[in-house]
Amino acid sequence: MIISRTAPAVVCLLSLGLSSAQEISDVWQTTWNRTSLFQFQNQSPVPTFTSKVASAISNIVLNEAKVYQPVLGFGGTFTDSSAQLLAGLKTTNSTSYWSLLNYMFSPIEGANSAGLSYLRVPLGATDFSTEVYSYDEVDGDHCLNDLDVNSARPYIFEILKDIQSINNMLRPAWMKDSGTAFGGALQEEYLPMFAHYLLKLLEAFQSKGIKAYAISVQNEPMYETTTDPTTTYTPEIEGHVATLLKKLMIMKGFGDTKLIGFEQNWDQASGYATQLMKVAGGAFDGVAFHCAAGSVGQQDAFHAAFPEKEIYLTECSGTLGTDWWGDTKWYMDNIFIGSIEHNAQTAMMWNLALDASGNPMLPGATGCGTNGCRGIVTINGNGTWSVNQELAQASKGIIPRDIGGPSARRIGVAVQGTMSATLRVGAYVTYRTSSKDAPRYSLVVLNWNDSASSGWNPQPVTTTIEFRGKRATFTFPVGVTTLSWYAANITQLATREDDFLVDPMERDTHHRGHSIPSESGLKFLEFNPQRGCSALQ
């Protein structure tokens, strides 16, 4: 889901990128020993691109001629548990609540904030709900007359006022052959009805002020358990529902809402995900992957087979009790740099917020095993909170620079030199609404030169950064660094959104000065409404 954005501050626009030498002045760091946790770093002297020689040890080379997919954003899942904790924080300590929301979501240039811009919102209960529910619990309500979006806790819509994207988790139990929320498959006779169910939820959420960016048919269609709300699908069944749903969406004015398939692990990139595109590719804009099985490089197999389809990385969970720095390295390598490097447009964690014990959870649910899941944010009972900074480091480099302006895009980058393996680098450009304004160039750099395999010895790496034939020198401490600079728009390379995957950013003004983007441009299909039910017309 695209989070609404506030207007960026206007600071020294006349000088950005117009001087004879570009300067790296926006630097944020998180270090392995936590002496810095997503902190702005003043630079003295300011690193400047000049005609210096490339470092033989490490030289990061940007190639702005290679422009890849848009990077829509980073974020997590707004589970019922996350909503409950945030609502409680708002009630007990509103100052802390708004401080947290600003820290997570504010996109203001230079602000001490992550600028997260993408959320998943389950449509019904998950293992991180306090009870099982769907939006229509009336057995045999074939016309969906009793569908009630207010089955969700009222604070969910209050907190979601600036949030748009919707993703589905749970089928109403009476539509499934198991007759229960836990496991089972959707009965074939209910496939058209379930497509209508999803459409009506799009309409209901829109009536609450939440316009969907994307929706998926089913979360983890191959997963079945008796402890969590689940439903199993085959590619053929999911494709059937998607084809019906796409027709309904276009007919009912949701043609600009993305339809995303699969929503499960990397190891099925050449299996279920590929088969789904073969049987119903025309209905889907793309697929979403999770990290629980397989490896991130398997996204490439899907991209090679279906290069026109979008890829999203929508779920990966931290676990309580694991090593903080070890986790940071893995998530940067595989999720926040790695998944984008392998053509994903988003990289997301699971729960947006949990408490220090990984709760609240559905009674009997297994979550992340015995240790429990870790949220992006940990909210404590005393009104305090803490965050995982690696996600903020990644997000900081891709925040759109202008209201109504383009998303960031991944660009080519390579690391040369004898110590090239010590740095893991993602590179991005954010073009501007006006071609007269200087684009922003950003690097997200993981220095994992800690000699962890042979003995603990964390060492900084001094490197040159090569851009347009000139180089700046920068020393990266062991940790994660995000740095940016502006440069004159002299090439006009891929500045048009329609040169790539379309991302026009239409916005409406909403709460606290934020605004909301949307996308458009889907093909039309024919639709014949189901007969006999006025609610389904």
Side-chain angles (χ1 to χ4, degrees):
M1 174 173 302
I2 299 296
I3 301 299
S4 57
R5 310 180 191 277
T6 54
V10 180
V11 181
C12 300
L13 291 181
L14 293 179
S15 64
L16 294 177
L18 301 181
S19 59
S20 58
Q22 289 81 39
E23 297 179 343
I24 299 173
S25 57
D26 192 33
V27 179
W28 297 78
Q29 286 181 341
T30 294
T31 54
W32 72 271
N33 59 4
R34 304 191 223 190
T35 55
S36 292
L37 290 173
F38 188 54
Q39 291 182 353
F40 177 77
Q41 306 292 320
N42 286 307
Q43 302 299 301
S44 182
V46 175
T48 303
F49 288 95
T50 62
S51 299
K52 63 186 65 177
V53 177
S55 169
I57 294 175
S58 177
N59 184 41
I60 300 171
V61 183
L62 279 76
N63 184 351
E64 61 181 321
K66 291 186 176 180
V67 184
Y68 301 99
Q69 81 277 15
V71 184
L72 301 180
F74 297 88
T77 303
F78 191 75
T79 59
D80 292 343
S81 297
S82 299
Q84 179 180 333
L85 289 169
L86 286 167
L89 181 62
K90 184 176 182 179
T91 299
T92 59
N93 192 331
S94 62
T95 299
S96 181
Y97 169 80
W98 283 111
S99 176
L100 174 57
L101 289 192
N102 283 325
Y103 184 90
M104 287 193 293
F105 300 123
S106 173
I108 295 176
E109 182 85 355
N112 182 29
S113 61
L116 303 183
S117 55
Y118 207 97
L119 285 180
R120 297 165 76 214
V121 181
L123 295 181
T126 74
D127 48 341
F128 284 89
S129 300
T130 56
E131 62 183 347
V132 174
Y133 70 94
S134 73
Y135 291 104
D136 192 341
E137 291 292 330
V138 178
D139 192 348
D141 179 22
H142 296 170
C143 292
L144 303 177
N145 292 320
D146 294 295
L147 186 147
D148 183 11
V149 74
N150 292 313
S151 298
R153 303 302 171 263
Y155 50 71
I156 289 179
F157 294 105
E158 177 184 348
I159 298 171
L160 283 179
K161 192 171 183 179
D162 295 329
I163 301 174
Q164 249 184 261
S165 178
I166 296 174
N167 193 345
N168 164 283
M169 283 282 186
L170 179 68
R171 314 291 73 80
W174 59 267
M175 290 187 186
K176 301 191 308 186
D177 58 15
S178 65
T180 174
F182 304 101
L186 193 65
Q187 295 185 55
E188 186 172 356
E189 64 185 289
Y190 292 126
L191 297 186
M193 190 182 308
F194 183 60
H196 281 84
Y197 174 84
L198 293 177
L199 174 74
K200 287 175 73 69
L201 286 178
L202 284 173
E203 293 174 330
F205 270 66
Q206 182 167 266
S207 74
K208 296 285 187 177
I210 302 167
K211 173 66 169 66
Y213 172 81
I215 187 169
S216 67
V217 172
Q218 171 63 35
N219 184 67
E220 298 187 345
M222 304 178 73
Y223 179 60
E224 183 174 20
T225 177
T226 59
T227 60
D228 303 345
T230 54
T231 304
T232 58
Y233 275 66
T234 64
E236 290 74 20
I237 293 298
E238 182 177 351
H240 189 166
V241 173
T243 300
L244 295 172
L245 177 58
K246 175 58 72 69
K247 296 176 181 179
L248 288 167
M249 288 166 61
I250 293 172
M251 188 71 179
K252 295 295 186 177
F254 291 92
D256 61 345
T257 299
K258 302 283 186 177
L259 185 53
I260 308 302
F262 185 48
E263 285 274 11
Q264 203 159 346
N265 296 319
W266 287 320
D267 62 346
Q268 284 291 321
S270 297
Y272 188 113
T274 293
Q275 184 62 24
L276 183 62
M277 293 302 104
K278 289 180 178 179
V279 299
F284 290 101
D285 294 275
V287 298
F289 290 105
H290 299 178
C291 77
S295 60
V296 66
Q298 290 175 285
Q299 291 178 181
D300 290 345
F302 179 86
H303 180 69
F306 304 99
E308 76 285 0
K309 296 298 182 183
E310 300 164 6
I311 294 175
Y312 300 80
L313 191 287
T314 56
E315 186 175 313
C316 197
S317 184
T319 304
L320 293 171
T322 53
D323 177 67
W324 179 85
W325 172 234
D327 284 352
T328 298
K329 290 189 291 185
W330 192 90
Y331 287 109
M332 293 305 301
D333 182 32
N334 291 279
I335 306 300
F336 304 127
I337 294 176
S339 69
I340 305 301
E341 183 179 75
H342 293 284
N343 301 295
Q345 296 190 25
T346 64
M348 305 169 64
M349 300 296 286
W350 180 209
N351 286 276
L352 182 66
L354 292 173
D355 67 18
S357 299
N359 289 314
M361 283 188 66
L362 189 70
T366 56
C368 296
T370 56
N371 289 339
C373 294
R374 185 183 69 240
I376 296 172
V377 178
T378 299
I379 297 179
N380 304 308
N382 62 1
T384 61
W385 46 268
S386 59
V387 298
N388 295 310
Q389 288 77 19
E390 67 268 25
L391 180 59
Q393 291 282 168
S395 181
K396 197 69 172 177
I398 59 89
I399 300 171
R401 182 60 186 86
D402 300 311
I403 290 296
S407 300
R409 293 187 180 275
R410 178 171 68 94
I411 60 174
V413 66
V415 185
Q416 304 169 341
T418 57
M419 295 187 65
S420 59
T422 63
L423 300 180
R424 189 77 169 87
V425 183
Y428 314 97
V429 59
T430 304
Y431 294 109
R432 308 298 298 278
T433 301
S434 171
S435 61
K436 296 179 181 179
D437 293 331
R440 183 188 65 214
Y441 293 84
S442 302
L443 295 177
V444 178
V445 180
L446 167 67
N447 174 7
W448 50 8
N449 184 32
D450 55 18
S451 301
S453 61
S454 59
W456 187 249
N457 185 28
Q459 293 294 318
V461 175
T462 298
T463 182
T464 46
I465 301 169
E466 185 171 324
F467 176 71
R468 295 183 182 175
K470 298 185 182 297
R471 300 173 187 88
T473 300
F474 193 91
T475 298
F476 292 98
V478 174
V480 185
T481 300
T482 304
L483 50 83
S484 301
W485 65 94
Y486 289 81
N489 193 359
I490 60 174
T491 60
Q492 289 291 310
L493 289 172
T495 58
R496 300 285 301 179
E497 292 288 345
D498 53 7
D499 290 340
F500 298 90
L501 299 173
V502 178
D503 182 28
M505 306 285 279
E506 300 176 358
R507 287 176 162 84
D508 300 316
T509 302
H510 276 258
H511 181 59
R512 294 177 69 85
H514 289 216
S515 57
I516 298 178
S518 63
E519 289 204 5
S520 61
L522 300 177
K523 297 178 180 179
F524 279 84
L525 301 172
E526 295 181 358
F527 167 64
N528 294 312
Q530 182 169 326
R531 297 177 181 176
C533 292
S534 60
L536 301 187
Q537 301 303 310

